[in-house]
Amino acid sequence: MIAILRPHSWDFPLFLHVFGAMVLFGAILATTTLSFVGWRVPALARSTFWALLAAAIPAWIAMRIGAQWAYSKEHHQLFEKDPTWIGVGFIVADLGALILLLATGFAVWWQRSQKAVAGRVVSGLAVLYLILLVVAWLAMSGKWGS
Amino acid sequence: MSTYDWLLMLHVTGAFLFLGGGAAAGILNLRAWHAERPSEVALLLQLIARVAVPAIGIGSVTSLVLGIWLVHHAGYSYGTFWVWAAIVLWVVAGALGARGGRHQTKAGVEAARLAGAGDTMTAELRALVRDPVGNALSYGSGLTLLLILILMIWKPGQ
């Protein structure tokens, strides 16, 4: 019902948040795929790095700015105490920054050294972040704990 | 959770798969532009077909079906601009994506052929991968998805 009651001044921050999150999901899906196939085809290490650097990180920035902007407009008017879905969103967003930076670092190492272990770490981090993103969108769209 | 929350959650899940799958396809397509060997182009285009396209397919159907259910449940009217415009754009996005996909399939077939015959990049394959018509159709489909998201959030005519 929030969508029905929401004032139009909240629309752009929400759009930025949702659009960033959707592109971020797509970028992590591409990263996961590229990193797993890259175990057999080392040339894909470079594509994995670029998917993270040029797509996932900018999308994360858009998602996080949108989230903070929307939160600053909504939370005083809608909640006395942050519900579960807001907490899940913040945890996944902020933990996601760490995972993204680690994955990008390992992707650089993988691209330069061609060491298989670096590729496997990137795959593991990408799968972990993909799962966290799914949990976050389910929590936030289902308004868990409201 | 209320029925509305359940429907919205599943509708949004469909939208994430639809738009996220489109973004993944775009990223893999851009990497194919920069690939140095036909085998790499063939692999990247195969990944679009095996990972991104199923996500887009499942997401498009889920978002439409659950979206129509939400229209009934929340008491929106089909005559409202953002509702009918989103359905029209959903059809347009599907048509553009399908036509763009045919161009990519053609490039994939040529890349696989060259990969088995010395794996040397040719100007023809490069031109097929960077074909302006095929890419305009595919990226036009992505832009249409963005317009649907704008309609869903701003709800013009509401």
Side-chain angles (χ1 to χ4, degrees), chain B residues 25-97:
Chain B
I27 292 163
L28 295 169
N29 176 263
L30 278 177
R31 291 316 303 161
W33 279 42
H34 296 97
E36 286 160 9
R37 292 191 312 193
S39 57
E40 205 181 328
V41 173
L43 186 57
L44 287 161
L45 296 181
Q46 259 180 30
L47 292 179
I48 293 176
R50 288 183 185 173
V51 178
V53 171
I56 292 168
I58 294 167
S60 64
V61 173
T62 309
S63 59
L64 180 71
V65 171
L66 272 296
I68 288 171
W69 196 342
L70 265 171
V71 167
H72 279 291
H73 184 80
Y76 294 124
S77 161
Y78 286 105
T80 311
F81 174 73
W82 68 272
V83 174
W84 65 257
I87 295 171
V88 169
L89 288 176
W90 184 93
V91 174
V92 171
L96 290 174

Side-chain angles (χ1 to χ4, degrees), chain A residues 1 4 6 8 19 26 47 137, chain B residues 4 13 20 31 76 153-154:
Chain A
M1 289 296 135
I4 299 169
R6 192 179 62 233
H8 279 301
F19 179 63
S47 292
W137 94 51
Chain B
Y4 179 86
T13 297
R31 291 316 303 161
Y76 294 124
I153 289 181
W154 269 270

